[in-house]
Structure formats: C-alpha cells, structure tokens
Amino acid sequence: MSKRIVIAGAGHAAGQVVASLQQHKFDGQIALVGDEPYLPYQRPPLSKKFLAGEMPAERLYVKPASFYEDAGVELHLDTTIEALDRETRSLSVSNGDPVSYDALVLALGSRVRRLPVSGTDLEGVHYLRSITDVEAIRADFDKGRRLVVIGAGYIGLEVAAVARQGGLDVTVIEMEDRVMSRVVSPEISDYYQIEHANQGVKLQLSTGVEGINGKKRVKSVTTSDGEEIPADVVVIGVGIEPNTALARDAGLDVDNGIVVDDHCRTSDPHIYAIGDCTMHPNGIYGRSLRLESVHNALEQAKTAVANICGIDTAYNQVPWFWSDQYDLKLQIAGLSEGYDDVVIRGNPAERSFSCLYLREGQLIAVDAINAPRDFVQSKQLIADGTILDADRLADSDVTLKELAS
Ligand code: FAD
C-alpha cells in the first residue's frame, strides 16, 4: 500500500477519497491540497437550497473539520497547485514547499466556461461554482430586482426557479431552441419550458448574447436580436470546462478530460484521476465519457481508493444526475442519445411521471419527474440491459420491476 497519498483538489470527490481511505483503514499519510479556502463541500445545493437561504453553510461540508483532524490529514487549503513534477513525484504550490507523493489522486474538477462578451466584469454579473459565488449572488437577490440568467442548462434553470420564488423578475436567455438540451429529450424540455413560463419566467430561446452593458454596475443585456433587456443582476451558466492543464503540462494523456482507465489510473501508474476532470471508459455504453455528476465523482473516488489499497476494482456505473426546480425533482439515469422509442408513464398534469427511452426494445435511459420508484428501478434495468415491452410500459400501475420479470 502507498505510504503517502496526496489528493490534488479539495472538492466533492476529494472528500470521498479521504472517507474511503479511512474505511479501508489506510495507515499511511494523507495530504489534501485545494485552492478554495473551504474543506471539501457539496456543490448541488449551491443552486438550490443554499442559494434560497434554506440550508446553512455547515451542511454543505462532506465531513466536519474534526474528521480530517482525527484522520491526521495534512491540509493545504487556499493553495493552488502550479505544477506537477512526475520525476520527483511532487507538486509545486503557491504557498509553501513542494508537496511530495507516493500516489497522487487528481480531483481537480472543472471551472465555469466564460462568456466571450464585454461587460462580464461589471458589478452584479455572476458565475456560479463556489460558496463564495453564491454568497455574492445572494447579496444581490433583492425582491423585485430584474435578473437575467444566461444559459438554460440545469444550473441556470435552478437559479431562475429560486429567484422567482424569491420574488425577482426573471428572464432566461438560451442559445439553443430548447432548455437543458444537453441532458434531456425534447419531451422533457417542453415540460420545463411550460413550467417556467407558468411560474412567470420569461424564456428567450434561440437567442444569443451580444454584450452586457453598464458603467460600474450592470444595467442591461443586449441579445443577438439586438434587444436590450434591463437587468439589475445577471447570472451566467453556460457550461464548464474540465481542469486538465496541470495533467497536460505534466505529459499525461488528456482528451476532453484527463484520460483514465476503468481503474481510474492515468497514463502514469502513480497517478489516479477522478470526478469532473476525467475522461473514462464506460462498459455499459461502450465508449468514453466525461461526466459532471456527484455520483460519478463519488464512485470514481471509491474505485481509485480500492485500487490504491490493492483491491482490484473496475468502475462501471450507469450515470445519474438530478435537478430540483420548484417542486419538481428531476432524476435522470443513463444516457438517452440514440433512442428510437420513448414511453411516458404517469401523468404530467399531476406533476409525477417518467420518460423511458428505448433502443431496439432495450431500456437505455429514464428521466423521472417526482417518480423516484421508476428512477430507482430503471437504473438497475439499464445496467442489466433489460429488454422491455414498450406497449405495457405506459401502465404505471405495474412496476417496471414486475414488467421486466
Ligand atoms: P469539484 O467539486 O469541482 O472539486 C475540484 C476542486 O479542485 C475545486 O475546489 C477546485 O477549485 C480545485 N482545483 C482545481 N485546480 C486546482 C489547482 N491547480 N490547485 C488546487 N486546487 C485546484 N451534480 C449532480 O449530480 N447533481 C446536481 O444537482 C448538481 N448540481 C450542481 C450545482 C452546481 C451549482 C454546481 C457547480 C455543480 C453541480 N453538480 C451537480 C455537479 C457536481 O457538483 C460536480 O460533478 C462535482 O462537484 C464534481 O466533484 P469533483 O471533486 O470532481 O470537482
């Protein structure tokens, strides 16, 4: 077993690495190096309950400070890793001596994609990735203010939902012709577009942004149609980019993410990579994936630790995600691209239904809205490659498990 494990990045996946090392009774040294001033924390509530002021910051943390103390973890917070030297097996950092390792776990996550227009540095214009970002957004979220959200992905729409419930006037601008186009099917996009419109959100689809205007503070947003939308606050959510520069500069394989095998090993046997920053093989879909999901971050952390501890373990999971908007909990399992049939179970009007995606009769993905049982059962059926009778699927009185057997 390695004597000294260094975790680069102190986000959600990193927190799980420490927890898993403890579970495996790892008795070597552990060091955690991260550029944020916080212990590892969960990001999903940042655009949901934490933004709404319904969850205190303490509840965001993966583990309390005492956990790291008891585990004897050497903490280097507020510390940027500037370079990785694979010859000497050490990291150069922004403050302090180089940090050396026997095994290194890269858990560097991702960063927000910047919008290439003028005015993004004006007061009142925000991106959303960290606790610090949300504290700044919350301070700007006064009732009656005019918010423009740029990007109708799940983070942009969650922000829109929280803001509407807080009494802000909300406009969402989206370049694509439907919302959440990267993660859900047109059927689900339609449902959410209607929901947001009913809640009073003004949605402008197929619309780009030309610029953000104001002197010191934001005043308006100019769209690609030339329209000027008044704005007191702007939140930009136009995707993320994986943090790969450190790995690439150190000569590791990088291809839209740090390339790892199904054991979370990079092209250097002493270095593992996990979470948002990885491009990893998925046996269920027969191709490599880069995922932005908590489940992937946690499961890859567990896989890397098992292998570091000498237990041969492969990662092969059905991807899953969730999004909370208003009283709608959307749970997505699997990847729907390439489906040739879609079946709706339940009643959209009753705010509880699921959309099942099939390819040649095989269940490949589900989008479940307030339908946790369909979500849980689908996950297993997708993993098993189950063939289902599409004609019987719509009958929500019969569970998916029963249909499969
Ligand atoms: P991160 O949590 O991003 O951690 C990486 C850490 O490494 C960061 O702290 C970063 O600053 C640090 N770092 C990077 N480079 C360096 C360096 N050179 N030196 C030192 N430190 C460095 N997923 C879901 O499944 N469901 C959701 O509902 C959901 N909601 C989300 C809402 C928001 C607002 C956001 C931002 C994300 C959401 N996600 C959600 C995605 C989920 O949070 C990520 O997939 C998860 O955080 C990935 O964990 P990670 O450890 O790989 O990366």
Side-chain angles (χ1 to χ4, degrees), residues 190-267:
D190 279 353
Y191 186 78
Y192 274 85
Q193 283 160 208
I194 293 166
E195 176 65 18
H196 278 278
N198 287 343
Q199 297 279 356
V201 171
K202 288 160 262 175
L203 259 180
Q204 300 212 359
L205 300 173
S206 306
T207 306
V209 170
E210 288 293 307
I212 301 176
N213 319 303
K215 281 214 169 98
K216 192 158 172 258
R217 192 177 171 91
V218 62
K219 285 255 180 284
S220 64
V221 174
T222 305
T223 69
S224 51
D225 306 331
E227 188 188 349
E228 198 171 325
I229 304 173
D232 305 305
V233 193
V234 171
V235 176
I236 304 172
V238 292
I240 57 143
E241 286 165 5
N243 287 323
T244 56
L246 204 64
R248 191 196 50 230
D249 294 349
L252 295 175
D253 290 347
V254 167
D255 175 15
N256 181 31
I258 303 170
V259 176
V260 292
D261 64 14
D262 62 355
H263 285 55
C264 298
R265 278 185 298 241
T266 67
S267 46

Side-chain angles (χ1 to χ4, degrees), residues 8-14 33-36 41-48 79-82 107-110 128-129 154-155 158 243 246 274-277 291-295 297 320-323:
H12 210 147
V33 191
D35 58 3
E36 292 188 72
Y41 63 92
Q42 312 165 56
R43 292 181 204 276
L46 296 185
S47 47
K48 308 177 182 74
T79 303
T80 303
I81 301 163
E82 290 170 340
L108 298 165
S110 44
L128 202 176
R129 181 82 199 162
Y154 63 84
I155 291 179
E158 286 175 354
N243 287 323
L246 204 64
I274 58 174
D276 277 17
C277 65
L291 297 171
E292 298 152 24
S293 104
V294 164
H295 167 250
W320 64 266
F321 319 81
W322 77 96
S323 176

